[in-house]
Amino acid sequence: MKIWKSLLIVLMIFTNLAFAQPSFADRPKFSKNPDYIEVTKALKELSQTKDSQTQVEGLTPEEIQNRIQELTLQKYALETGINWGQCDNQTGNTIAVYGKRPNDEDNEDAVYENGLYFLANGQSTKNNWDCDGIYLANDAEVANFTSSPNGQGEELTGPVALKILDGTQLVIKTNPATAAIELSVPTVKVLNSKEANWFIPDISQALIDTRVPNAPTKKS
């Protein structure tokens, strides 16, 4: 009887270990995340600029401080395990956004790294669904655009893909006076077909407005 009890205890121990094993697995290291590396580098450069009171062409001390604060929050988000971004459309039109397709890892026939989805006005992409960025139509423009935390604002016209960092909520609006697109995040990265395997068509905003919204949203 004691032998059976001993065997039962041993069996329970091994069973618990079998189920608990995933908890001992190493978590993905955020330090290897390309977004984290980019944010850390940019934050270091801007902090050094502020500490040395070096002037950055086209940037006021207030703008430098705002960018430091934004990057600090992005860095914290990545360190706490947030590996997705969110897009919020407040432009008055449908916009195109980039995101991973369901079961994309198992789809060996996938032509592009992610899919192009359409997000209706007033909608935000769903929590935990990674909105990688937005598509800028060939007749659209972004005012005061910056692709580097140390850069000054400039005008950007489409067609291009704009990538956002993980842990970021990007709010996209339209300036009522100029009709130019305004982005809430200080810096986003411009991608072309040579830099990333993203679908970047040459289409107008009017054509995007005819698409049926299909991006995963908070209300879907």
Side-chain angles (χ1 to χ4, degrees), residues 94-96 118 135 137-139 201-212:
T94 297
I95 64 172
F118 299 98
Y135 167 77
N138 60 17
D139 54 352
D202 188 2
I203 58 177
S204 67
Q205 177 59 45
L207 184 59
I208 293 176
D209 287 334
T210 67
R211 301 298 93 182
V212 175

Side-chain angles (χ1 to χ4, degrees), residues 93-126:
N93 301 295
T94 297
I95 64 172
V97 300
Y98 293 95
K100 297 295 185 294
R101 291 181 295 270
N103 302 321
D104 194 39
E105 295 180 355
D106 299 330
N107 188 357
E108 298 179 356
D109 297 328
V111 178
Y112 300 101
E113 293 178 0
N114 51 30
L116 193 64
Y117 296 83
F118 299 98
L119 183 65
N121 177 56
Q123 297 289 314
S124 296
T125 53
K126 189 176 181 180

